[in-house]
Amino acid sequence: MTTPSPEAVKAAYKTELISRGKPWRCIDDVELATAEWVAWYNQERLHEALGYVPPAEYEAAHTARLTPCEPANPGPRNRLGTKPGAVQLNQ
């Protein structure tokens, strides 16, 4: 997967939000609309390179696949229940 260039993101932003003919009354309107567009772009848009899955959904699924699990056989343990050589802190 490749990351879009800043120029491509800027062009999409201008095309999809700024140039749609909406009359902007003040800079606050533009700032709010920009924040909403960025949230949509980063979390909700359907991304072709991800199989038309939103980036946030793809990242969550990817992270779930990478989350390490407890090994079925963690190895030998001593009589205290810790692995040999492990340092145990008293809390």
Side-chain angles (χ1 to χ4, degrees):
M1 178 174 71
T2 60
T3 303
S5 70
E7 293 81 13
V9 174
K10 181 180 174 185
Y13 164 74
K14 287 175 73 176
T15 300
E16 295 172 7
L17 183 69
I18 300 300
S19 299
R20 286 213 169 159
K22 183 175 182 177
W24 302 105
R25 292 179 298 185
C26 64
I27 192 69
D28 292 339
D29 290 347
V30 176
E31 288 177 355
L32 179 59
T34 297
E36 292 170 348
W37 185 86
V38 169
W40 168 82
Y41 186 88
N42 287 334
Q43 300 171 10
E44 300 172 20
R45 71 186 162 97
L46 300 181
H47 196 292
E48 180 181 5
L50 304 178
Y52 296 99
V53 173
E57 184 180 323
Y58 182 88
E59 183 178 4
H62 179 72
T63 302
R65 286 192 304 267
L66 296 180
T67 303
C69 297
E70 181 77 23
N73 182 5
R77 296 187 179 270
N78 62 25
R79 61 186 173 86
L80 297 175
T82 60
K83 289 184 178 181
V87 176
Q88 201 170 27
L89 301 175
N90 294 331
Q91 296 180 359

